[in-house]
Amino acid sequence: MPKDRKTIAQEDLQSRIDKVIDMLERLEKEVAAIHNSMPVAPPRCRIARYLAKGRKEFYWYYKLHAATPIFPTQSDGKLSKYKHLGKAGSQAYIDAIEQITARTKIEALDRSIEALRQ
């Protein structure tokens, strides 16, 4: 017995819903995998370069810059917007790059998840 148009439409709708749900689950698992595999930079953080004057010359240094104070200071424990990273290629600098990259990936995945939910 051939299927009627209404049954075909319902099956098509269910198939598309299942595909969207599968994609949502895959993207959410990918976000969780990023969070579980490495530290992630706080939202709205970026790396800023600044020039410091030494005794004989100037040096470029880097810092992690947040929109609001979130980093504890070493001296008094208060919060600062900045976290010193040192020179390019230092371990702190490389770690910050990896954390910001992870944050960027998560934000892109979150935008895709939101588009699927709409």
Side-chain angles (χ1 to χ4, degrees):
M1 175 177 195
K3 296 181 181 178
D4 64 359
R5 293 172 79 183
K6 187 174 183 180
T7 303
I8 292 171
Q10 285 289 26
E11 289 174 353
D12 178 57
L13 176 63
Q14 187 61 48
S15 172
R16 289 184 288 124
I17 289 171
D18 291 342
K19 288 177 184 177
V20 169
I21 290 170
D22 289 343
M23 178 60 82
L24 270 171
E25 289 172 353
R26 270 197 354 231
L27 294 177
E28 288 170 346
K29 285 179 184 177
E30 196 170 333
V31 168
I34 292 170
H35 276 292
N36 293 333
S37 67
M38 65 182 72
V40 177
R44 299 175 55 205
C45 280
R46 63 183 179 87
I47 293 180
R49 183 172 81 157
Y50 65 97
L51 190 62
K53 184 178 187 296
R55 291 184 181 180
K56 297 181 181 179
E57 56 188 288
F58 290 93
Y59 301 93
W60 286 108
Y61 287 104
Y62 295 84
K63 59 187 170 186
L64 193 57
H65 181 153
T68 57
I70 58 172
F71 302 111
T73 59
Q74 292 179 349
S75 58
D76 57 9
K78 292 183 180 178
L79 297 179
S80 171
K81 289 184 183 181
Y82 308 101
K83 179 180 178 183
H84 178 74
L85 302 175
K87 295 180 180 181
S90 69
Q91 190 59 50
Y93 176 82
I94 298 299
D95 291 346
I97 293 287
E98 288 177 346
Q99 291 173 12
I100 288 177
T101 301
R103 167 60 54 205
T104 302
K105 288 177 183 177
I106 288 171
E107 288 171 350
L109 290 167
D110 285 344
R111 285 190 300 273
S112 295
I113 289 169
E114 185 58 32
L116 286 170
R117 286 190 174 140
Q118 290 177 3

